[in-house]
Amino acid sequence: MSRTDDLTDPEVIDRPYEYFGRLRETEPVYWNETWGGWIVTRYKDVRRCLQDDEHLSVEVEADRLRNSSLEIPRTKQMFPKWIIYLDPPDHTKLRRIIGEAFNPEMVANQRAEVEEVTQSLIDDMREQSPGEVELIEEFAHPLPVHVICKIMGLPLADGENLGDWSKNIGLTLFHYYDAENRHQRTEESIREFTDYLREVVKRREANPKDDLITYLLEAEADGETLTEDEVVATAVLLLFAGHETTTKLIANGTLELLRHPEQMEMLREDPSLAPKAVEEILRYQGTSKSLTRGVVKDFELRGKQIEAGERILLSQAAANRDPRKFDDPETFDITRGSMDHLGFGHGTHHCLGAPLARLETRVAFPALVKAFPDMELTTDEIEWTRSPLVRGPEELHIDI
């Protein structure tokens, strides 16, 4: 086994841009025997595959878990109901419903709430100043948790449980290979999460409110409504995705701004750069490193024959730094403003929560750098999330 072909190897986890970048330049469509599938790394090819619903499938990836020998019945029942594991036409119906809930008007209506929560969290951190804070615990995590709880109509007091359940679900969804008892922890959290949400759904059925769970119960697409199981499964996914990935994005972005003080100063002096800064963070150090697909129909890519039954890993990390697409791609430049990156995916499964994540980070970054102009990292040593699919620091200690 080649050490560098192990996607869980610390060298690959800590420095993914080196490993996947090397493949992009030498073998852009590469069979990784250790992982047991193809790795695609060039922007043009990754983008093409992300929009290819004829040859590639997400349902196959869910089937891989469902047909495994793992004794995790709740997980096997839940994951295949998620929109991220549905191909058209099932995906299309659910996307119409969820997409309407995250329309531009709904997202824009959350701005005042996001600004208020952001300022409140900053004020709490100021009480510790001067001193060290762990930014994920104090800011990057509670901000999106507060926002998604409000949208879903859930008590903020439940946020700690929701966060713990979501983190444990991520252990299996994002393949945290070295996490102890990860499948069992996912199973237990899905059980508790679904039991909790079923009670919420029952209350909304009896007493509807102006929140997302009520909307999911009442929404229709082509005359069809969601079943209770679909509402619960969708609510679990939205709560999980609504804060877990945004937490990492806030942490990643803050880290890069701290590593590039001239860029941080530009944002501090001109907060209107925030939208461009967010897009550059998504390109340069996004949360999602890779996406997987199952092959359902033979096709050819760069002279390689890709066969039905095989797997493909699409490297957003490599594609977003492809010099064929981006000028000077290894430079972090918040004035770049390119929205052609693949940080939120592309095609049928482009991230539904992208507008909300953009809003939260466009508010968070300028507020943070303005409030703490002298903040700096307390260490250059970063422990990265032990996942081949997502990227973010486990902790981010800063001196404010």
Side-chain angles (χ1 to χ4, degrees), residues 366-389:
L368 198 61
V369 300
K370 179 182 178 182
F372 305 113
D374 299 319
M375 68 176 175
E376 58 185 12
L377 292 169
T378 61
T379 177
D380 292 329
E381 297 297 320
I382 301 296
E383 181 182 353
W384 292 99
T385 297
R386 317 308 291 176
S387 163
L389 301 182

PDB file of all heavy atoms in Angstrom, residues 366-389:
ATOM      1  N   PRO A 366     -16.418  40.591   8.506  1.00  0.00           N
ATOM      2  CA  PRO A 366     -16.094  42.010   8.737  1.00  0.00           C
ATOM      3  C   PRO A 366     -16.339  42.444  10.178  1.00  0.00           C
ATOM      4  O   PRO A 366     -15.601  43.279  10.718  1.00  0.00           O
ATOM      5  CB  PRO A 366     -16.986  42.759   7.750  1.00  0.00           C
ATOM      6  CG  PRO A 366     -18.047  41.808   7.350  1.00  0.00           C
ATOM      7  CD  PRO A 366     -17.451  40.440   7.471  1.00  0.00           C
ATOM      8  N   ALA A 367     -17.372  41.882  10.821  1.00  0.00           N
ATOM      9  CA  ALA A 367     -17.637  42.238  12.217  1.00  0.00           C
ATOM     10  C   ALA A 367     -16.506  41.769  13.117  1.00  0.00           C
ATOM     11  O   ALA A 367     -16.084  42.479  14.039  1.00  0.00           O
ATOM     12  CB  ALA A 367     -18.960  41.631  12.663  1.00  0.00           C
ATOM     13  N   LEU A 368     -16.007  40.583  12.844  1.00  0.00           N
ATOM     14  CA  LEU A 368     -14.949  40.005  13.675  1.00  0.00           C
ATOM     15  C   LEU A 368     -13.642  40.795  13.547  1.00  0.00           C
ATOM     16  O   LEU A 368     -13.004  41.122  14.561  1.00  0.00           O
ATOM     17  CB  LEU A 368     -14.735  38.544  13.270  1.00  0.00           C
ATOM     18  CG  LEU A 368     -14.004  37.625  14.244  1.00  0.00           C
ATOM     19  CD1 LEU A 368     -14.748  37.518  15.558  1.00  0.00           C
ATOM     20  CD2 LEU A 368     -13.850  36.237  13.598  1.00  0.00           C
ATOM     21  N   VAL A 369     -13.233  41.105  12.315  1.00  0.00           N
ATOM     22  CA  VAL A 369     -11.953  41.800  12.139  1.00  0.00           C
ATOM     23  C   VAL A 369     -12.026  43.251  12.611  1.00  0.00           C
ATOM     24  O   VAL A 369     -11.017  43.832  13.014  1.00  0.00           O
ATOM     25  CB  VAL A 369     -11.474  41.724  10.672  1.00  0.00           C
ATOM     26  CG1 VAL A 369     -11.298  40.264  10.247  1.00  0.00           C
ATOM     27  CG2 VAL A 369     -12.424  42.434   9.721  1.00  0.00           C
ATOM     28  N   LYS A 370     -13.213  43.835  12.574  1.00  0.00           N
ATOM     29  CA  LYS A 370     -13.377  45.194  13.092  1.00  0.00           C
ATOM     30  C   LYS A 370     -13.316  45.207  14.615  1.00  0.00           C
ATOM     31  O   LYS A 370     -12.697  46.085  15.226  1.00  0.00           O
ATOM     32  CB  LYS A 370     -14.702  45.786  12.619  1.00  0.00           C
ATOM     33  CG  LYS A 370     -14.958  47.195  13.144  1.00  0.00           C
ATOM     34  CD  LYS A 370     -16.317  47.719  12.692  1.00  0.00           C
ATOM     35  CE  LYS A 370     -16.592  49.118  13.266  1.00  0.00           C
ATOM     36  NZ  LYS A 370     -17.938  49.613  12.858  1.00  0.00           N
ATOM     37  N   ALA A 371     -13.961  44.229  15.238  1.00  0.00           N
ATOM     38  CA  ALA A 371     -14.032  44.193  16.699  1.00  0.00           C
ATOM     39  C   ALA A 371     -12.682  43.898  17.335  1.00  0.00           C
ATOM     40  O   ALA A 371     -12.368  44.412  18.421  1.00  0.00           O
ATOM     41  CB  ALA A 371     -15.054  43.150  17.138  1.00  0.00           C
ATOM     42  N   PHE A 372     -11.877  43.076  16.661  1.00  0.00           N
ATOM     43  CA  PHE A 372     -10.600  42.646  17.246  1.00  0.00           C
ATOM     44  C   PHE A 372      -9.457  42.910  16.259  1.00  0.00           C
ATOM     45  O   PHE A 372      -8.923  41.975  15.644  1.00  0.00           O
ATOM     46  CB  PHE A 372     -10.665  41.166  17.628  1.00  0.00           C
ATOM     47  CG  PHE A 372     -11.809  40.826  18.544  1.00  0.00           C
ATOM     48  CD1 PHE A 372     -12.856  40.027  18.106  1.00  0.00           C
ATOM     49  CD2 PHE A 372     -11.843  41.326  19.838  1.00  0.00           C
ATOM     50  CE1 PHE A 372     -13.909  39.713  18.949  1.00  0.00           C
ATOM     51  CE2 PHE A 372     -12.901  41.017  20.697  1.00  0.00           C
ATOM     52  CZ  PHE A 372     -13.935  40.219  20.252  1.00  0.00           C
ATOM     53  N   PRO A 373      -9.070  44.162  16.098  1.00  0.00           N
ATOM     54  CA  PRO A 373      -8.053  44.511  15.094  1.00  0.00           C
ATOM     55  C   PRO A 373      -6.683  43.914  15.374  1.00  0.00           C
ATOM     56  O   PRO A 373      -5.869  43.784  14.450  1.00  0.00           O
ATOM     57  CB  PRO A 373      -8.013  46.041  15.155  1.00  0.00           C
ATOM     58  CG  PRO A 373      -8.543  46.389  16.504  1.00  0.00           C
ATOM     59  CD  PRO A 373      -9.565  45.347  16.816  1.00  0.00           C
ATOM     60  N   ASP A 374      -6.422  43.548  16.627  1.00  0.00           N
ATOM     61  CA  ASP A 374      -5.108  43.015  16.980  1.00  0.00           C
ATOM     62  C   ASP A 374      -5.127  41.510  17.216  1.00  0.00           C
ATOM     63  O   ASP A 374      -4.157  40.958  17.758  1.00  0.00           O
ATOM     64  CB  ASP A 374      -4.585  43.719  18.239  1.00  0.00           C
ATOM     65  CG  ASP A 374      -4.425  45.218  18.038  1.00  0.00           C
ATOM     66  OD1 ASP A 374      -3.960  45.614  16.949  1.00  0.00           O
ATOM     67  OD2 ASP A 374      -4.779  45.987  18.961  1.00  0.00           O
ATOM     68  N   MET A 375      -6.197  40.847  16.837  1.00  0.00           N
ATOM     69  CA  MET A 375      -6.264  39.411  17.113  1.00  0.00           C
ATOM     70  C   MET A 375      -5.193  38.669  16.320  1.00  0.00           C
ATOM     71  O   MET A 375      -4.832  39.049  15.203  1.00  0.00           O
ATOM     72  CB  MET A 375      -7.652  38.850  16.806  1.00  0.00           C
ATOM     73  CG  MET A 375      -8.053  38.822  15.363  1.00  0.00           C
ATOM     74  SD  MET A 375      -9.684  38.011  15.173  1.00  0.00           S
ATOM     75  CE  MET A 375      -9.966  38.247  13.410  1.00  0.00           C
ATOM     76  N   GLU A 376      -4.698  37.603  16.899  1.00  0.00           N
ATOM     77  CA  GLU A 376      -3.671  36.796  16.251  1.00  0.00           C
ATOM     78  C   GLU A 376      -3.745  35.362  16.761  1.00  0.00           C
ATOM     79  O   GLU A 376      -4.287  35.090  17.839  1.00  0.00           O
ATOM     80  CB  GLU A 376      -2.282  37.376  16.500  1.00  0.00           C
ATOM     81  CG  GLU A 376      -1.911  37.500  17.967  1.00  0.00           C
ATOM     82  CD  GLU A 376      -0.574  38.184  18.167  1.00  0.00           C
ATOM     83  OE1 GLU A 376      -0.052  38.753  17.199  1.00  0.00           O
ATOM     84  OE2 GLU A 376      -0.059  38.134  19.305  1.00  0.00           O
ATOM     85  N   LEU A 377      -3.199  34.457  15.976  1.00  0.00           N
ATOM     86  CA  LEU A 377      -3.152  33.055  16.373  1.00  0.00           C
ATOM     87  C   LEU A 377      -2.214  32.886  17.551  1.00  0.00           C
ATOM     88  O   LEU A 377      -1.170  33.533  17.625  1.00  0.00           O
ATOM     89  CB  LEU A 377      -2.670  32.190  15.211  1.00  0.00           C
ATOM     90  CG  LEU A 377      -3.599  32.062  14.000  1.00  0.00           C
ATOM     91  CD1 LEU A 377      -2.850  31.399  12.843  1.00  0.00           C
ATOM     92  CD2 LEU A 377      -4.836  31.260  14.347  1.00  0.00           C
ATOM     93  N   THR A 378      -2.585  31.989  18.455  1.00  0.00           N
ATOM     94  CA  THR A 378      -1.690  31.708  19.580  1.00  0.00           C
ATOM     95  C   THR A 378      -0.697  30.606  19.234  1.00  0.00           C
ATOM     96  O   THR A 378       0.279  30.412  19.941  1.00  0.00           O
ATOM     97  CB  THR A 378      -2.485  31.293  20.826  1.00  0.00           C
ATOM     98  OG1 THR A 378      -3.217  30.090  20.539  1.00  0.00           O
ATOM     99  CG2 THR A 378      -3.451  32.394  21.240  1.00  0.00           C
ATOM    100  N   THR A 379      -0.954  29.876  18.148  1.00  0.00           N
ATOM    101  CA  THR A 379      -0.040  28.828  17.686  1.00  0.00           C
ATOM    102  C   THR A 379      -0.217  28.629  16.186  1.00  0.00           C
ATOM    103  O   THR A 379      -1.306  28.837  15.649  1.00  0.00           O
ATOM    104  CB  THR A 379      -0.293  27.498  18.414  1.00  0.00           C
ATOM    105  OG1 THR A 379       0.575  26.491  17.865  1.00  0.00           O
ATOM    106  CG2 THR A 379      -1.743  27.044  18.243  1.00  0.00           C
ATOM    107  N   ASP A 380       0.856  28.231  15.530  1.00  0.00           N
ATOM    108  CA  ASP A 380       0.792  27.923  14.103  1.00  0.00           C
ATOM    109  C   ASP A 380       0.415  26.469  13.857  1.00  0.00           C
ATOM    110  O   ASP A 380       0.175  26.062  12.719  1.00  0.00           O
ATOM    111  CB  ASP A 380       2.142  28.219  13.428  1.00  0.00           C
ATOM    112  CG  ASP A 380       2.453  29.708  13.398  1.00  0.00           C
ATOM    113  OD1 ASP A 380       1.501  30.498  13.332  1.00  0.00           O
ATOM    114  OD2 ASP A 380       3.653  30.061  13.442  1.00  0.00           O
ATOM    115  N   GLU A 381       0.372  25.676  14.936  1.00  0.00           N
ATOM    116  CA  GLU A 381       0.043  24.264  14.814  1.00  0.00           C
ATOM    117  C   GLU A 381      -1.475  24.087  14.801  1.00  0.00           C
ATOM    118  O   GLU A 381      -2.149  24.409  15.779  1.00  0.00           O
ATOM    119  CB  GLU A 381       0.653  23.478  15.977  1.00  0.00           C
ATOM    120  CG  GLU A 381       2.180  23.510  16.024  1.00  0.00           C
ATOM    121  CD  GLU A 381       2.801  22.862  14.803  1.00  0.00           C
ATOM    122  OE1 GLU A 381       2.265  21.820  14.354  1.00  0.00           O
ATOM    123  OE2 GLU A 381       3.803  23.389  14.299  1.00  0.00           O
ATOM    124  N   ILE A 382      -2.006  23.587  13.700  1.00  0.00           N
ATOM    125  CA  ILE A 382      -3.448  23.391  13.550  1.00  0.00           C
ATOM    126  C   ILE A 382      -3.741  21.896  13.429  1.00  0.00           C
ATOM    127  O   ILE A 382      -3.149  21.200  12.598  1.00  0.00           O
ATOM    128  CB  ILE A 382      -3.988  24.123  12.309  1.00  0.00           C
ATOM    129  CG1 ILE A 382      -3.712  25.629  12.398  1.00  0.00           C
ATOM    130  CG2 ILE A 382      -5.488  23.845  12.130  1.00  0.00           C
ATOM    131  CD1 ILE A 382      -4.413  26.331  13.534  1.00  0.00           C
ATOM    132  N   GLU A 383      -4.658  21.407  14.249  1.00  0.00           N
ATOM    133  CA  GLU A 383      -5.127  20.026  14.112  1.00  0.00           C
ATOM    134  C   GLU A 383      -6.374  20.041  13.241  1.00  0.00           C
ATOM    135  O   GLU A 383      -7.402  20.605  13.607  1.00  0.00           O
ATOM    136  CB  GLU A 383      -5.457  19.412  15.473  1.00  0.00           C
ATOM    137  CG  GLU A 383      -5.930  17.965  15.367  1.00  0.00           C
ATOM    138  CD  GLU A 383      -6.309  17.354  16.700  1.00  0.00           C
ATOM    139  OE1 GLU A 383      -6.084  18.001  17.738  1.00  0.00           O
ATOM    140  OE2 GLU A 383      -6.852  16.224  16.687  1.00  0.00           O
ATOM    141  N   TRP A 384      -6.262  19.421  12.070  1.00  0.00           N
ATOM    142  CA  TRP A 384      -7.355  19.456  11.111  1.00  0.00           C
ATOM    143  C   TRP A 384      -8.321  18.301  11.322  1.00  0.00           C
ATOM    144  O   TRP A 384      -7.938  17.220  11.790  1.00  0.00           O
ATOM    145  CB  TRP A 384      -6.813  19.404   9.678  1.00  0.00           C
ATOM    146  CG  TRP A 384      -6.055  20.631   9.294  1.00  0.00           C
ATOM    147  CD1 TRP A 384      -4.699  20.799   9.290  1.00  0.00           C
ATOM    148  CD2 TRP A 384      -6.621  21.877   8.870  1.00  0.00           C
ATOM    149  NE1 TRP A 384      -4.386  22.075   8.890  1.00  0.00           N
ATOM    150  CE2 TRP A 384      -5.536  22.765   8.628  1.00  0.00           C
ATOM    151  CE3 TRP A 384      -7.917  22.340   8.680  1.00  0.00           C
ATOM    152  CZ2 TRP A 384      -5.715  24.073   8.199  1.00  0.00           C
ATOM    153  CZ3 TRP A 384      -8.109  23.641   8.248  1.00  0.00           C
ATOM    154  CH2 TRP A 384      -7.029  24.496   8.008  1.00  0.00           C
ATOM    155  N   THR A 385      -9.566  18.534  10.974  1.00  0.00           N
ATOM    156  CA  THR A 385     -10.603  17.504  11.010  1.00  0.00           C
ATOM    157  C   THR A 385     -10.121  16.264  10.271  1.00  0.00           C
ATOM    158  O   THR A 385      -9.669  16.344   9.130  1.00  0.00           O
ATOM    159  CB  THR A 385     -11.887  18.045  10.346  1.00  0.00           C
ATOM    160  OG1 THR A 385     -12.357  19.159  11.096  1.00  0.00           O
ATOM    161  CG2 THR A 385     -12.956  16.983  10.279  1.00  0.00           C
ATOM    162  N   ARG A 386     -10.236  15.113  10.916  1.00  0.00           N
ATOM    163  CA  ARG A 386      -9.697  13.870  10.351  1.00  0.00           C
ATOM    164  C   ARG A 386     -10.691  13.232   9.386  1.00  0.00           C
ATOM    165  O   ARG A 386     -11.204  12.140   9.602  1.00  0.00           O
ATOM    166  CB  ARG A 386      -9.319  12.885  11.455  1.00  0.00           C
ATOM    167  CG  ARG A 386      -8.603  13.462  12.658  1.00  0.00           C
ATOM    168  CD  ARG A 386      -7.392  14.290  12.293  1.00  0.00           C
ATOM    169  NE  ARG A 386      -6.307  13.491  11.743  1.00  0.00           N
ATOM    170  CZ  ARG A 386      -5.183  14.029  11.274  1.00  0.00           C
ATOM    171  NH1 ARG A 386      -5.013  15.326  11.254  1.00  0.00           N
ATOM    172  NH2 ARG A 386      -4.239  13.238  10.800  1.00  0.00           N
ATOM    173  N   SER A 387     -10.960  13.928   8.324  1.00  0.00           N
ATOM    174  CA  SER A 387     -11.919  13.457   7.323  1.00  0.00           C
ATOM    175  C   SER A 387     -11.359  13.708   5.930  1.00  0.00           C
ATOM    176  O   SER A 387     -10.778  14.761   5.679  1.00  0.00           O
ATOM    177  CB  SER A 387     -13.256  14.206   7.474  1.00  0.00           C
ATOM    178  OG  SER A 387     -14.056  14.063   6.317  1.00  0.00           O
ATOM    179  N   PRO A 388     -11.549  12.761   5.013  1.00  0.00           N
ATOM    180  CA  PRO A 388     -11.119  12.994   3.633  1.00  0.00           C
ATOM    181  C   PRO A 388     -12.106  13.857   2.839  1.00  0.00           C
ATOM    182  O   PRO A 388     -11.812  14.231   1.706  1.00  0.00           O
ATOM    183  CB  PRO A 388     -11.043  11.577   3.051  1.00  0.00           C
ATOM    184  CG  PRO A 388     -12.076  10.820   3.812  1.00  0.00           C
ATOM    185  CD  PRO A 388     -12.073  11.396   5.201  1.00  0.00           C
ATOM    186  N   LEU A 389     -13.254  14.168   3.434  1.00  0.00           N
ATOM    187  CA  LEU A 389     -14.294  14.877   2.684  1.00  0.00           C
ATOM    188  C   LEU A 389     -14.468  16.336   3.094  1.00  0.00           C
ATOM    189  O   LEU A 389     -14.851  17.162   2.267  1.00  0.00           O
ATOM    190  CB  LEU A 389     -15.637  14.146   2.824  1.00  0.00           C
ATOM    191  CG  LEU A 389     -15.672  12.690   2.351  1.00  0.00           C
ATOM    192  CD1 LEU A 389     -17.075  12.129   2.500  1.00  0.00           C
ATOM    193  CD2 LEU A 389     -15.199  12.563   0.911  1.00  0.00           C
TER     194      LEU A 389
END
